[in-house]
């Protein structure tokens, strides 16, 4: 064939023979079907399953023969056998052997280019035959297929090329369904998508080049652009950076062509845009879906595309990605520098403050086609498959990069799609690429759009009334934070810098954003994810825009930062009987550790907020001037309104007087006086209006109320100021930071000095915010008169009151103790001279005592956890070496609520009934059953738990009192008792301890009171003994009582007191001393012991109970209760019930009874001297009644006391 001069005579034999050998007379298998029954092109075969010729070598030889034959034929000869020729090429392209496919592609390329005019109606079959080449395993075959497909495109111009494109993208008419689909699965391959993500970089590069070639060279490209552009944009996110850069420049070339073709339209559009030269912002192109913002990132358009370093000629450092930031000051090689094209609109820059000067050509071209696919892209954004969501996000990112502000048209559905993504599975999967891509999308939205547009779409996410769930709100805040971050980075890149620009277009959003965030319900109890998102939103604009924020906005942002760092109170066990008494109050918070979260971010935000406070005077002048102008306008309006109102009232009054005037009224002096008074009032109104007008004209600055809640809080505090010590004329607390403070401390000091009132006022409904503010604020600012007697104590009273839940009350008590300890240390450093600290310290304990007394009035508010935790905190506070109990137990101007609560708790013999009612109420609330329906086991649990809780509470309260009394006695200074018998007096405390010696009158059902247990009699005796010697010098003070292994034997070896006891002044009457002696002896009798004791009898010893030492001493300073040192700072909590109480209650009944008897005998040494007449009168009475047991014990007490005292004197 190659050497024959004329092939025409052989053609009638050659073509039929080749068609028969290759089986290509009906490749689609539809020749026998009518036209209406033939399937659509996408349903026809694309590869031969079983060729007629089975030998691959023979089929390859036939392919060479066909290629040589078609090269020799002229157009006339081809025209005669056009069907056979195209069938042969198609059959070879559909052959399963790769060598045949490669040769067929080369043959088709030459055949199409040489005879494109006569192949118009064969373009679609030829293109379909190449589909199997595009999915072949060999990358070489895939590239050959693309080359052949490009040649076919030149054959079907303006006719069948669009059909080929539809087959490439697996297009299917939505109104048609093939019959086959009803019986078996059908799969259509999207060849464009497959090639865009081909596993071989060379194929992907050639594919994107092919797409660009179609858009640049194929005449009917306008029909294919909407379908081709999305896949070309996907090339910008190729994993190979070189391919992505090449695609970028290919799109630039497409933009140039678009500019040439649409020159007239672009000229009209650009002429309508503003021509004013203004500042412009540089937005680096997000190549590969990576946000390129920041000052250290070079523009991607200035980096040249380079091929792979196959030979290893470059060093490892030169392989760094071009989007890496500079690290540690090292220079990053960004490749060869390339000059930008000589066109005004080549760079995607956004103008700030004016419309874009010109629409860039690529942006205008992409924007034209974006509307065809962008809504479909939103559907894939929320796909649960990560790969689909990633590809949709990359396409969205590239579309945004070119569409720029034109995306406003689809902003609402785009925001909804982003919300679904961030709240869906794709984001929850945690894929880094997916997250980075969608973060870039949100930043691009903020970079190109006017901030007010996306703010209107997302501001409802900060509102509690938004009709979405929490996940959607978190997603909305995340999108908003990223958008704001993009806007801020664009604002920072403005060239040339404009110092007067301020916040630019963000000035209409940031103030409203701050106020909305300040009042958002999201700050009350944020989850970990929500807290991280809110931190991101706060930091997105705070640093760059700090200099443009007002003092009010700084205060609001401080509240937001404090709220985000606040730790919610920990949940506690229920109040039901199922929660054991030990588990119900296992631990208490530390007095030292600050309950804060995200401390590093908080410190960073506080540093930023306090950064520009040094330049405050200059900035404040502008703020004051603006406020002054606003105040003038308001004052002028108010004066005019008042003047008009006064004139109207005067006119109405005169008209009324004239209407009611008569001759008889001339004699009525009262009416004349009333008329004169009315005139005087009207003149006063006019004078006031004129005064307001003069103030407005004179420029008097009117103070602006920064926070409405503050005024309401002050009003409530004035009406509810019970039990708070205040001193209005004492305001000596410093307003300036200490001279030795560093710069960071000074900035924080100034920040809280300005913003603390607003923070405390706004923290009314959030305890954790209030707690964080107390932890962070300098103590001297908290001690200012306006704070210590205003919202500070008001909030603390509300959070410790019975209206708060148990978790809040527990945490509020810990916070109060933390604040009290800070005040105590300040008082120690100033040797008690700081009146503000002393006043606040006393107020805290007055407040806590009043709250506990109020809560104990009702079973619904009585909480065992709160009681035990409060007692434990008080005990740990009193044992601190820097604490003087006089500061907290004896307020200067009123009765002591703290001593009143402790005394009433110890003396409350019906406390177990109150706990019983509280447990019944808790069980009823939890189970919904009435107490009559409780089973026997539940009733028994409630009874046992109520008794155990009452025992722990009363014993712990007695221990706290002993600790306080021991601390008062240790320093030798006089005790500032309250006068008479009011709470906090010596008599009241003595009477409370004495009340344990007799049964109380029942006030609650059932109408009886259980006898006082031995351990409480033990504490009562010790309390009375300490009180009798409280005024003794430290050297002569009595030793604390310690449990004895053989208390009965110890009774015979008692020693005399080292100081003279003293009764309260209320015991001057003989009847009172007799009553005391009677109660004392009856208490000994009720112990049910053999008294006087036998010194040789064996008795039950005290148990160790796993403790390191066997000594159980009442009311001592235990080392384990002191605050941990710096090496033990990790210990956040300690046991709520101290070891003294827990070990004491675990002793045996006999051991406790004999130790109670020992304590009473030791007390008898004092009472026998002070109340000798009372004992003698009681003995005479008992002898008359023949109560020999009481007589025997009383006589033994008197005689034993005389012997011990005589031995001590001798």
């Amino acid at each position: 064939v190659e050497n024959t001069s004329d092939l025409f005579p052989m053609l009638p034999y050659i073509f039929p023979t080749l068609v028969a050998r290759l089986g290509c007379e009906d490749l689609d298998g539809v020749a026998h079907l009518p036209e209406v029954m033939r399937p659509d092109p996408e349903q026809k075969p694309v590869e031969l399953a079983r060729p007629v010729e089975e030998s691959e070598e023979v089929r390859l030889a036939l392919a060479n023969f066909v290629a040589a034959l078609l090269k020799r034929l002229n157009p006339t000869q081809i025209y005669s056998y056009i069907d056979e020729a195209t069938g042969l090429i198609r059959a070879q392209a559909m052959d399963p052997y790769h060598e045949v496919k490669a040769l067929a592609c080369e043959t088709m390329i030459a055949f199409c280019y040489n005879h494109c005019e006569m192949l118009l109606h064969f373009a679609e079959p030829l293109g379909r035959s190449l589909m199997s080449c595009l999915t072949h395993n060999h990358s070489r075959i895939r590239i050959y297929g693309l080359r052949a497909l490009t040649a076919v495109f030149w054959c079907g111009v303006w006719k069948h090329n669009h059909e080929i494109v539809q087959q490439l993208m697996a297009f299917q008419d939505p109104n048609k369904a093939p019959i086959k689909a009803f019986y078996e699965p059908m799969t259509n391959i999207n060849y464009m998508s497959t090639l865009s993500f081909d596993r071989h970089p060379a194929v992907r590069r050639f594919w994107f080049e092919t797409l660009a070639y179609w858009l640049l060279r194929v005449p009917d490209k306008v029909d294919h652009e909407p379908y081709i552009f999305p896949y070309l944009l996907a090339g910008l996110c190729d994993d190979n950076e070189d391919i992505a850069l090449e695609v970028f420049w290919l799109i630039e070339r497409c933009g140039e062509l678009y500019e040439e073709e649409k020159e007239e339209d672009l000229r009209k559009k650009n002429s309508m845009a503003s021509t004013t030269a203004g500042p412009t912002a540089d937005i680096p192109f997000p190549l590969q879906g990576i946000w390129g913002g920041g000052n250290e990132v070079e523009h991607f358009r200035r980096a040249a595309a380079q091929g792979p370093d196959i030979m290893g000629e470059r060093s490892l450092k030169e392989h760094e990605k071009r989007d890496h930031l500079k690290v540690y000051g090292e220079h990053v090689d960004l490749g060869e520098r390339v000059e930008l094209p000589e066109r005004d609109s080549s760079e995607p820059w956004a103008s700030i403050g004016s419309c874009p000067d010109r629409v860039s050509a690529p942006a205008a071209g992409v924007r034209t086609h974006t509307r065809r696919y962008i809504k479909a892209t939103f559907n894939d954004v929320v796909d649960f498959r990560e790969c689909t969501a990633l590809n949709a996000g990359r396409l969205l990112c590239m579309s945004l990069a070119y569409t720029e502000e034109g995306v406003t048209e689809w902003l609402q559905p785009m925001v909804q799609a982003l919300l679904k993504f961030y709240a869906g599975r794709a984001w929850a999967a945690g894929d880094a690429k997916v997250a980075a891509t969608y973060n870039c999308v949100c930043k691009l939205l903020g970079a190109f759009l006017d901030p007010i547009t996306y703010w209107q779409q997302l501001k409802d996410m900060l509102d509690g009334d938004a009709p979405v769930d929490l996940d959607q709100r978190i997603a909305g805040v995340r999108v908003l934070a990223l958008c704001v971050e993009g806007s801020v980075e664009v604002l920072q890149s403005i060239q040339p810098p404009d110092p007067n620009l301020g916040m630019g277009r963000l000035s209409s959003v940031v103030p409203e954003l701050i106020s909305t965030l300040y009042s958002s319900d999201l700050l009350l109890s944020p989850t970990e994810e929500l807290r991280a998102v809110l931190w991101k939103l706060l930091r997105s604009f705070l640093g760059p825009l700090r200099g443009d924020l007002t003092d009010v906005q700084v205060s609001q942002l401080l509240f937001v930062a404090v709220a985000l760092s606040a730790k919610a109170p920990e949940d506690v066990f229920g109040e039901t009987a199922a929660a054991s008494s030990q588990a119900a109050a296992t631990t208490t918070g530390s007095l030292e550790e600050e309950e804060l979260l995200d401390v590093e971010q908080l410190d960073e935000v506080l540093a930023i907020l306090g950064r520009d406070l040094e330049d405050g005077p200059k900035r404040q002048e502008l703020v004051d001037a603006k406020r002054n102008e606003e105040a003038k306008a308001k004052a002028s309006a108010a004066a005019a309104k008042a003047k008009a109102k006064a004139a109207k009232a005067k006119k109405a009054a005169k008209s009324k007087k004239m209407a009611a005037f008569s001759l008889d009224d001339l004699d009525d002096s009262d009416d004349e006086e009333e008329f004169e008074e009315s005139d005087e009032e009207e003149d006063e109104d006019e004078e006031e209006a004129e005064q307001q007008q003069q103030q407005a004209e004179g420029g008097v600055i009117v103070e602006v109320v920064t926070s409405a809640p503050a005024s309401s809080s002050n009003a409530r505090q004035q009406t509810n100021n019970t039990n708070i010590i205040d001193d209005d004329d004492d305001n000596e607390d410093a307003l300036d930071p200490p001279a030795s403070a560093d710069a960071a401390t000074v900035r924080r000091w100034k920040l809280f000095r300005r913003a603390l009132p607003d923070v405390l006022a706004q923290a009314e409904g959030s305890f954790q915010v209030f707690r964080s503010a107390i932890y962070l604020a300098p103590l001297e600012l908290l001690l200012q008169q306006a704070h210590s007697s205003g919202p500070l104590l008001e909030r603390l009273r509300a959070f410790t009151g019975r209206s708060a839940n148990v978790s809040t009350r527990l945490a509020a008590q810990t916070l109060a103790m933390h604040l009290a300890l800070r005040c105590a240390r300040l008082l120690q450093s100033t040797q008690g001279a700081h009146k503000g600290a002393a006043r606040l310290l006393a107020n805290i304990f007055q407040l806590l005592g009043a709250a506990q007394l109020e809560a104990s009035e009702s079973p619904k508010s009585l909480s065992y956890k709160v009681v035990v935790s409060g007692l434990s905190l008080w005990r740990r506070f009193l044992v601190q070496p820097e604490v003087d109990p006089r500061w907290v137990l004896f307020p200067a101007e009123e009765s002591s609520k703290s001593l009143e609560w402790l005394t009433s708790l110890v003396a409350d013999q019906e406390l177990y009934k109150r706990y019983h009612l509280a447990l019944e109420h808790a069980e009823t609330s939890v189970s919904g059953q009435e107490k009559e329906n409780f089973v026997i086991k539940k009733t028994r649990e409630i009874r046992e738990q109520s008794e155990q809780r009452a025992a722990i509470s009363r014993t712990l309260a007695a221990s706290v009192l002993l600790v306080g009394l021991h601390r008062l006695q240790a320093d030798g200074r006089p005790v500032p008792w309250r006068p008479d018998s009011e709470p906090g007096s010596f008599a009241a405390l003595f009477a409370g301890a004495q009340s344990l010696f007799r049964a109380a009158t029942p006030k609650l059902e059932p109408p009886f009171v259980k006898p006082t247990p031995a351990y409480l009699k033990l504490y009562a005796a010790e309390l009375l003994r300490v009180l009798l010697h409280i005024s003794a010098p430290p050297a002569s003070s009595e030793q604390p009582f310690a449990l004895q292994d053989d208390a009965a034997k110890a009774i015979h070896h008692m020693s005399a007191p080292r100081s003279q006891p003293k009764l309260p002044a209320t015991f001057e009457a003989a009847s009172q001393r007799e009553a005391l002696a009677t109660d004392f002896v009856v208490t000994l009798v009720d112990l049910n012991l053999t008294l006087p004791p036998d010194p040789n009898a064996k008795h039950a010893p005290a148990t160790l109970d796993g403790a390191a030492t066997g000594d159980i001493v009442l009311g001592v300073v235990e080392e384990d209760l002191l605050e941990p040192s710096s090496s033990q700072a990790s210990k956040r909590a300690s046991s709520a019930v101290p070891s003294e109480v827990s070990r004491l209650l675990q002793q045996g009944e006999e051991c406790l009874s004999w130790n109670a008897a020992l304590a009473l005998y030791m007390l008898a040494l004092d009472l026998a001297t002070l109340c000798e007449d009372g004992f003698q009168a009681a003995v005479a009475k008992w002898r008359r009644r023949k109560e020999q047991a009481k007589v025997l014990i009383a006589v033994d007490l008197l005689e034993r006391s005389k012997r011990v005292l005589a031995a001590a004197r001798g």
Side-chain angles (χ1 to χ4, degrees), residues 537-667:
L537 175 61
L538 180 60
R539 298 175 61 184
S540 64
F541 65 88
L542 179 58
L545 305 182
R546 170 61 185 90
D548 300 303
L549 300 178
T550 64
D551 290 344
V552 175
Q553 293 169 351
V554 170
S555 300
Q556 293 174 345
L557 290 177
L558 176 61
F559 173 82
V560 173
V562 170
L564 293 181
S565 63
K567 182 180 179 181
E570 297 181 358
D571 294 334
V572 296
F573 296 97
E575 291 282 353
T576 60
S580 65
S581 60
Q582 293 293 336
T586 303
T587 59
T588 56
S590 172
L591 304 183
E592 293 285 355
E593 185 174 354
E594 298 179 351
E595 299 286 343
L596 296 175
L597 299 174
D598 302 330
V599 179
E600 295 181 359
Q601 296 194 66
L602 176 63
D603 292 341
E604 181 181 354
V605 170
L606 292 180
I608 295 174
L609 288 174
R611 187 174 58 195
D612 295 337
L613 293 178
E614 289 79 7
D615 301 329
K618 297 181 180 179
R619 183 169 55 85
Q620 192 64 29
E621 291 178 1
L622 300 177
V623 176
D624 292 342
K626 185 176 181 180
R627 290 183 178 178
N628 194 10
E629 294 178 359
E630 295 176 355
K632 286 182 180 180
K634 291 181 180 179
S636 300
K641 186 176 181 179
K643 191 172 183 180
K645 183 178 180 180
K648 184 177 180 180
K650 183 176 181 180
K651 184 176 180 180
K654 288 183 177 180
S655 300
K656 182 177 181 181
K657 290 293 183 180
M658 294 301 296
F661 179 75
S662 65
L663 294 176
D664 296 336
D665 294 335
L666 294 175
D667 298 332

Side-chain angles (χ1 to χ4, degrees), residues 1105-1178:
D1105 298 318
T1109 175
D1111 296 335
I1112 302 178
V1113 186
L1114 305 188
V1116 298
V1117 179
E1118 300 178 10
E1119 296 297 333
D1120 57 343
L1121 285 175
L1122 295 176
E1123 283 300 311
S1125 60
S1126 58
S1127 62
Q1128 299 174 335
S1130 59
K1131 297 181 180 179
R1132 301 182 57 255
S1134 60
S1135 175
V1137 181
S1139 60
E1140 169 196 333
V1141 175
S1142 60
R1143 294 179 61 199
L1144 179 69
L1145 294 178
Q1146 293 175 7
Q1147 302 300 315
E1149 183 66 25
E1150 183 180 359
C1151 175
L1152 291 175
S1153 297
W1154 278 112
N1155 276 278
L1158 174 61
L1160 290 170
Y1161 267 88
M1162 295 173 65
L1163 177 62
L1165 298 178
D1166 297 324
L1167 296 181
T1169 303
L1170 298 174
C1171 304
E1172 183 177 2
D1173 55 343
F1175 277 101
Q1176 293 176 354

Side-chain angles (χ1 to χ4, degrees), residues 828-899:
Q828 184 192 34
S829 63
T830 58
Q831 298 180 354
H834 202 294
K835 296 182 180 180
R839 181 169 54 248
L840 179 57
L841 185 58
N843 285 337
I844 289 174
F845 273 80
Q846 288 290 92
L847 183 149
L848 294 176
Q852 294 281 12
L853 289 171
E854 183 183 6
S856 62
E857 296 175 357
S858 172
K860 296 181 180 180
S861 57
L862 178 61
S863 172
Y864 167 73
K865 308 179 193 66
V866 176
V867 172
V868 173
S869 176
L871 291 172
S872 177
L873 289 170
W874 285 29
R875 192 176 194 275
R876 291 167 56 195
F877 178 82
L878 290 174
V879 301
Q880 300 300 317
E882 60 266 26
V883 172
D884 185 352
R886 295 172 180 79
W887 298 337
V888 297
L889 298 179
F890 303 99
E893 300 178 359
E894 59 180 341
S895 61
S896 173
K897 292 295 179 181
S898 55
L899 280 179

